[in-house]
């Protein structure tokens, strides 16, 4: 076939009709329920994934820990751009993620933020790029530039954005919304189901490993040692 | 068979001073002891001749630029040229004060023949703003002699030297004088004489020189050895006002640097750019890389980041590249069959980010075997952490005991500073009410400095978030330190 056409066909954002869809395999997320809902049965590498979430602590990062664990074997950088806090190295080590691969980037302004994301995506030295875009609004073309930078690579690229960004269009082929703790809603998925709620159960948690997700069944602790909240 | 190439820079006194303003045509004459030593073409066409007095020159042309000869600058130019020539042949030396002698017999195969070697020499030298004359011969001295004439180097050496005038040997003025009185003017006159007969007339030194030129006596020369530092410059010849226009010069200098590094099997970790204006030094930029290497494309990318951020308030006349600390090359052999190995090296992204955003903006995280969470996990911008003593100890510790967190809950995110949690009669409040759901886990440490005693709990936020909070037992206050992501 013509090389130019081949090139276009290779791109993740080219619509191919129904026939050749199954060919694209995603990277297993580590959660069976989510895998079964995702087109390609896993994270679409070489695409931007938007994760819409308000506030930390709903488990947005936990979603990617199994992936980080797998990618850690590649020995490339896992870049955190404008992260809200510091990833806790002992936890990463306990999960089998090499904390030496984690790079924290703190750009000073919006322009540098976009530049750093693009650089990280375009360079072949990263296996994962997590970027926190914050509350600023980004135009479609700016996000499209990131999507183009990710296209054709094998990088797991995740953009964390606030939930209100879900009202606007975005070029990312996969957009997920973190509704509640451990409950995802697939807002948009190219070639797959949309508006599906996914409840991530505990059955995929690895026994014996430090769990982030689910703490033991919640029983309101009323131990003797619980201190009184006296001022 | 050895073959020597002599590059004679006849106009070095002039070009050392004027090659900076290429393109700019100002009639220039170089003076030595108040007499004209050399004149540029424009000046020559105005009738300026070597040996003229300053007053005569002034009478001919008022506006003539007169420059005093600068021998130290000439030597500097020759050294730079040696640096360049080292990439052609490793055995070379400076001869007299304006010549380079290169042994090229051994590198003809490398350059695919004499013809293409000379073409390479020509293009390199003319882009540097030098004009030169060449001589080719089997011995260095003969190559120098033959640089004064043009002929076919295929003929036997003896035959080629014959037509040369004896006055070229100006280091033996007394001997030449006595030969001239005897009516000997050309090499052909003396080459046929017996050595004894000639020796009586002109002494041992000159005989020795001629024997060296003919290849019948030894002519050992100490080879040039490259300097321990690199320094090169580029003069635009006009004022550069746009940052982008600097890039071609930067590329050329970096290529020269990396050629030098490759020749000397060295690498560098830091380079310095100096931008020169008309009067003074405008800017100096330091570009650093986390790993020493000799790849000009990477240096170019990093320099480009700096140049883009630069604001030029004055025109740039020249740019120089310096590299003071060179380290022995540590060449990495790539894997021929593993494509991933051949891709971009890991540090290149780190360098790009650091060069644009600043060293402080890019950090790495690390774990330590400590009890207090803020010490057990931390971020630092130490980009070459493995070399520090501190980390070596950590590594050592780690081999004994990984920071053991099994059985305990540890959050994904750690706050750089614990934040205080409001407490009231109804409970804890941090962006919403908090409910304790797990704990406590007591962590006590640091008793030798400032005792710390904390009870850690997992608290549940309003929307199901899980936080890592602790009660400081000594202050009896609550803090939040981590978030279970």
């Amino acid at each position: 076939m013509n090389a130019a056409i081949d090139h276009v066909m290779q791109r993740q954002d080219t619509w191919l009709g129904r026939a050749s869809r199954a060919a694209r395999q995603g990277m297993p997320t580590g959660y069976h329920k989510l895998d079964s809902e995702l087109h390609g049965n896993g994270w679409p590498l070489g695409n931007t994934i938007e994760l819409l979430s308000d506030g930390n602590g709903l488990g947005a990062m936990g979603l990617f820990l199994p992936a980080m664990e797998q990618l850690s074997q590649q020995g490339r950088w896992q870049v955190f751009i404008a992260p809200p806090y510091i990833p806790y190295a002992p936890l990463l080590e306990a999960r089998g993620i090499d904390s030496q691969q984690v790079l924290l980037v703190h750009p000073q302004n919006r322009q540098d933020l976009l530049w750093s994301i693009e650089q990280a995506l375009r360079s072949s030295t990263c296996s994962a790029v997590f970027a926190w875009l914050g509350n600023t609004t980004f135009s479609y073309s700016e996000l499209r530039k990131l999507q183009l930078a990710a296209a054709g690579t094998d990088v797991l690229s995740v953009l964390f954005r606030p939930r209100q960004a879900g009202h606007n269009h975005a070029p990312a082929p996969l957009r997920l919304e973190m509704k509640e703790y451990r409950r995802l809603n697939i807002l948009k998925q190219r070639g797959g189901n949309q508006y599906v709620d996914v409840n991530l159960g505990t059955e995929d948690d690895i026994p014996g490993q430090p769990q982030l997700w689910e703490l033991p069944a919640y029983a309101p602790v009323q131990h003797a040692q619980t201190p009184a909240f006296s001022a | 068979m050895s073959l020597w190439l002599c590059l004679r820079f006849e106009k070095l006194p002039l070009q050392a001073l004027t090659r900076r303003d290429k393109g700019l045509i100002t009639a220039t004459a170089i003076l030595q002891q108040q007499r004209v030593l050399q004149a540029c073409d424009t000046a020559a066409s105005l009738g300026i001749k070597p040996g003229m007095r300053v007053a005569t020159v002034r009478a001919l042309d008022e506006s003539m630029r007169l420059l005093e000869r600068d021998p130290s600058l000439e030597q500097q130019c020759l050294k730079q040229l040696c640096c360049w020539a080292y990439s052609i042949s490793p055995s070379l030396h400076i001869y007299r004060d304006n010549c380079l002698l290169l042994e090229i017999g051994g590198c003809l195969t490398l350059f695919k023949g004499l013809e293409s070697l000379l073409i390479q020499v020509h293009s390199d030298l003319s882009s540097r703003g030098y004009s030169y004359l060449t001589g080719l011969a089997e011995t260095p001295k003969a190559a120098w002699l033959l640089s004064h004439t043009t002929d076919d180097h295929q003929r036997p050496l003896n035959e080629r030297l014959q037509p040369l005038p004896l006055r070229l040997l100006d280091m033996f003025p007394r001997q030449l004088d006595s030969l001239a009185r005897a009516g000997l003017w050309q090499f052909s006159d003396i080459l046929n004489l017996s050595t004894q007969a000639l020796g009586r007339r002109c002494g041992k030194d000159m005989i020795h020189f001629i024997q060296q030129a003919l290849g019948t006596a030894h002519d050992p020369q100490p080879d040039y050895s490259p300097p321990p530092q690199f320094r090169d410059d580029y003069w635009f010849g006009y004022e550069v006002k746009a940052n982008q226009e600097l890039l071609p010069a930067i590329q050329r200098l970096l290529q020269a640097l990396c050629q030098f590094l490759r020749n000397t099997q060295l690498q560098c970790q830091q380079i310095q750019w100096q931008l020169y204006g008309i009067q003074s030094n405008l800017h100096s930029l330091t570009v650093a890389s986390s790993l020493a290497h000799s790849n000009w494309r990477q240096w170019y990318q990093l320099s480009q980041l700096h140049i883009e951020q630069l604001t030029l308030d004055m025109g740039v006349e020249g740019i120089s590249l310096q590299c003071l600390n060179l380290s022995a090359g540590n060449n990495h052999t790539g894997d021929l069959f593993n494509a991933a190995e051949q891709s971009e090296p890991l540090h290149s992204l780190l360098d790009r980010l650091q060069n644009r955003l600043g060293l402080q903006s890019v950090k790495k995280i690390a774990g330590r075997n400590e009890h207090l969470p803020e010490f057990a996990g931390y971020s630092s911008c130490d980009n070459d952490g493995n070399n520090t003593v501190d980390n070596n100890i950590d590594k050592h510790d780690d081999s004994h005991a990984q920071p053991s967190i099994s059985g305990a809950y540890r959050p994904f995110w750690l706050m750089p500073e614990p934040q205080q949690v409001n407490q009231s009669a109804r409970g804890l409040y941090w962006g919403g009410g908090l409910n304790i759901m797990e704990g406590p886990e007591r962590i006590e440490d640091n008793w030798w400095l400032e005792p710390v005693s904390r009870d850690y709990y997992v608290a549940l936020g309003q929307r199901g978030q899980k936080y890592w909070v602790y009660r400081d037992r000594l202050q009896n206050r609550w803090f939040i330190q981590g978030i279970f992501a």
Side-chain angles (χ1 to χ4, degrees), chain B residues 186-343:
Chain B
Q186 276 191 329
F187 273 82
S188 55
D189 300 335
I190 60 167
L191 289 180
N192 298 327
L193 294 178
S194 75
T195 314
Q196 283 88 3
L198 193 60
R200 268 198 302 280
R201 218 167 248 289
C202 53
K204 232 186 254 170
D205 290 347
M206 190 169 159
I207 290 290
H208 189 61
F209 182 93
I210 291 169
Q211 281 175 341
Q212 282 181 336
L214 290 171
T216 52
H218 265 302
D219 188 8
Q221 293 285 348
D223 272 346
Y224 163 81
S225 63
Q229 293 170 347
F230 180 85
R231 195 187 296 253
D232 201 357
D233 50 22
Y234 186 89
W235 295 91
F236 293 99
Y238 52 90
E239 218 179 356
V240 169
K241 293 220 168 73
N243 294 3
Q244 292 299 320
E245 288 177 40
L246 295 172
L247 293 177
I250 285 177
Q251 178 176 342
R252 250 206 44 189
L253 288 173
L254 283 175
Q255 280 169 342
L257 167 68
C258 291
Q259 186 69 48
F260 169 79
L261 292 177
R262 195 161 305 129
N263 292 340
T264 52
Q265 296 286 298
L266 293 172
Q267 290 179 339
C268 64
Q269 201 167 359
Q270 190 170 314
I271 56 173
Q272 274 152 359
W273 291 106
Q274 301 272 355
L275 302 183
Y276 299 104
I278 297 176
Q279 274 138 22
S280 60
N281 192 347
L282 282 182
H283 289 281
S284 65
L285 304 170
T286 303
V287 182
S289 158
S290 50
L291 264 185
H293 62 86
S294 58
N295 182 338
W296 76 264
R297 278 195 181 80
Q298 280 174 31
W299 284 120
Y300 182 71
Q301 273 187 343
L302 298 179
S303 305
Q304 207 176 355
L305 291 176
H306 282 275
I307 294 290
E308 276 166 6
Q309 286 175 335
L310 195 71
T311 41
L312 294 176
D313 31 349
M314 267 168 65
V316 176
E317 292 279 320
I319 181 166
S320 84
L321 173 62
Q322 259 190 56
C323 192
L324 301 179
N325 293 318
L326 301 173
S327 56
N330 181 17
N331 285 327
H332 169 73
T333 312
D335 188 339
L336 180 61
F337 300 106
N338 186 353
E341 279 273 310
Q342 293 177 24
S343 59

Side-chain angles (χ1 to χ4, degrees), chain B residues 420-421 423 428 453-455 470-480:
Chain B
Q420 198 170 343
V421 174
Q423 61 189 104
L428 301 172
S453 175
R454 297 168 179 173
D455 279 343
Y470 70 83
R471 187 175 71 96
D472 192 313
R473 295 177 70 233
L474 303 172
Q475 298 177 43
N476 197 21
R477 286 202 317 222
W478 286 82
F479 293 91
I480 178 168

Side-chain angles (χ1 to χ4, degrees), chain B residues 11-40:
Chain B
K11 300 230 163 192
L12 193 63
L14 178 72
Q15 279 163 351
L17 288 163
T18 59
R19 73 188 179 100
R20 293 178 179 189
D21 42 46
K22 50 186 136 162
L24 232 123
I25 301 168
T26 318
T28 309
I30 305 296
L31 300 179
Q32 189 176 30
Q33 294 172 345
Q34 294 304 303
R35 278 179 191 271
V36 173
L37 178 76
Q38 271 179 358
C40 74

